[in-house]
Amino acid sequence: MKRSILAWRVAPLLLAAGWATGVSARDPYVLDIAVTNGQGGTETGTFGYSSIDEAIDRFDTSQLARDFNYGGFEQVDVDFDLRGIGAVLRFNQDATGLTFFINDVNIDPSDADGDGTNKVSFDGGSREASIQLLKEFLKNNKSALRELLTAFARFSPIDPLAGNPDSLFSRRMRDDFSYGFTNKVSQIWGCGTSAFNTTNDAPIQVAAVGGVSDIFADAQARAAALQAQNEMGIGLLASSTTAKSAGGDYATIGLVVPLSYTAKLDSDPRKKIRFDLPITYTDTEGAVSYSLGAGLAYTHPLADEWSLTPAIGVGATGSEDLGSGGGLSALSLTSAYTWRLDSFALSMGNSVGRYEALGLKFGDVEAEADISNTVFTNGFLLTGPNSLIAKNLVVEYSFVDTRITGDEVYADAYDEIGIALGHINTTMGVIDSYTKVGLSYLIADGAAGDISSLRLNLSARF
């Protein structure tokens, strides 16, 4: 397997942190090849690859001749595992035609050959030409490609578009909930509208300017102006994910750089407009994927302790190695509410969102899956005790549950628990910068095995 330079540099850090699990890794694409000669003798071999192109090239006649007693006319049978989806390829004895069949994927809706089975056949006059016809079919037949991409989200635990915690869909869901809830109630003792001062039950961020006498009007104005300053956000989310599989476990390393800018309205700094631009890199056993998103959210306070955040977003992902890609559109509404519990604060978040796949064109390939999901996310975040304020520290404990409805995907339910430690800097009683490090553990119940993910989150707002 070939890994990118970045993956090789990140992997030792994850191993040193104890993130690796003692599992047997597997390649995204595995071929079990059997070559049968005219006398009935059969040779077999198993080959694994991280790239779909390399896997299909392994079926090339010159490759077969290097590893088998193959002269160009023997029967060749291949059980082809496409990152969780089973497929079959066959050359019959003394034939140049290639037959291709994928389990549970209707790649031949017209049943062009009239045999009532879900398979396609190609004959270019030679075996090499037939293989090339298969490649062109998988890239250029929109109906077949749509069916295949949709099936990957349903049956594969490592699809870059949807169905697992490292996919574009799941990361957008997580971001929408985080922007409307976690980021809203985080830094809870100093920056939000949800924790309360012991003297006047006002948010501590505005306590310094809310109950002072007129003699301090200038200081009050300066603090109010500081409170209304806009914010920049940057961070790094590193994750190590394991997806259980009968043929060995898939291991994925993910890196996300979330960039954001928050504009506060002068009339009420609790009203915020947030722009975000997450950039994502993932490596699954050497198969690399990239994603880019963009989101816009508006936070509106209904009270000091309650706010609503509607959000819209789009995103795109692609992987040449995995032969997959696509886009998404997102629309969500998140509620955040906080209660004071003595020296602690308990916040509840509830979100509902609609996420739909969009078609994208990569060169001469048009990728569009048929996926639409309505997602319900609910979570709690406990912050405290407030005695740590003296040290400018904030401790947070969180639990988040995500339920995915609509079109079937590989994993439709996630649970995540986490702990985070933040450090705040204040000016005139108002937070002017904040850094946080958090560690969380996620588990998902997949269609063919569990998925678990350990995540390290570094973030800063200033």
Side-chain angles (χ1 to χ4, degrees), residues 129 207 284 388 393 457:
T284 302
L388 292 176
L393 296 178
N457 188 13

Side-chain angles (χ1 to χ4, degrees), residues 99-221:
T99 300
F100 182 55
F101 171 86
I102 304 180
N103 296 337
D104 302 314
V105 182
N106 188 20
I107 59 173
D108 185 22
S110 64
D111 190 21
D113 52 15
D115 65 356
T117 62
N118 180 32
K119 70 174 185 289
V120 289
S121 299
F122 309 92
D123 195 341
S126 68
R127 293 191 171 187
E128 292 81 359
S130 297
I131 294 173
Q132 186 60 36
L133 288 175
L134 170 61
K135 292 181 179 180
E136 293 176 0
F137 174 81
L138 293 177
K139 290 182 178 180
N140 300 324
N141 188 297
K142 294 182 181 179
S143 175
L145 183 57
R146 182 185 181 94
E147 292 288 338
L148 184 57
L149 292 177
T150 303
F152 276 136
R154 180 180 178 184
F155 297 109
S156 174
I158 58 171
D159 187 64
L161 181 62
N164 63 85
D166 294 303
S167 65
L168 177 67
F169 266 56
S170 297
R171 292 194 185 278
R172 186 71 251 176
M173 299 169 195
R174 176 191 175 99
D175 288 347
D176 287 344
F177 184 72
S178 177
Y179 298 148
F181 173 63
T182 310
N183 287 356
K184 168 65 170 54
V185 300
S186 189
Q187 322 169 47
I188 201 153
W189 297 115
C191 145
T193 57
S194 44
F196 302 95
N197 185 289
T198 57
T199 58
N200 59 6
D201 280 344
I204 196 168
Q205 181 178 11
V206 300
V209 300
V212 297
S213 62
D214 292 339
I215 195 172
F216 297 115
D218 289 342
Q220 178 180 358

Side-chain angles (χ1 to χ4, degrees), residues 297-319:
Y298 167 68
T299 297
H300 185 82
L302 300 179
D304 282 339
E305 63 278 353
W306 186 22
S307 69
L308 293 178
T309 302
I312 58 174
V314 293
T317 186
S319 174

Side-chain angles (χ1 to χ4, degrees), residues 397-438:
Y397 312 88
S398 62
F399 171 79
V400 178
D401 175 80
T402 301
R403 303 288 165 168
I404 302 171
T405 65
D407 292 327
E408 189 173 354
V409 293
Y410 185 86
D412 59 8
Y414 305 155
D415 285 323
E416 184 174 6
I417 58 173
I419 184 172
L421 179 66
H423 181 269
I424 61 177
N425 292 315
T426 62
T427 301
M428 301 183 68
V430 178
I431 295 294
D432 55 17
S433 64
Y434 178 62
T435 56
K436 180 171 69 172
V437 57

Side-chain angles (χ1 to χ4, degrees), residues 4-16 238-239 253-255 281:
S4 69
I5 295 176
L6 179 59
W8 277 117
R9 289 179 177 176
V10 172
L13 299 178
L14 299 179
L15 291 169
S239 61
I253 295 173
L255 296 174
Y281 164 95

Side-chain angles (χ1 to χ4, degrees), residues 7 27 30 48 81 93 100 109 136-137 163 186 202 204 280 288 293 304 318 327 375 394 420 445 456:
D27 294 295
V30 179
D81 186 332
Q93 179 75 29
F100 182 55
E136 293 176 0
F137 174 81
S186 189
I204 196 168
T280 304
V288 175
D304 282 339
V375 181
V394 179
D445 185 12
L456 176 66

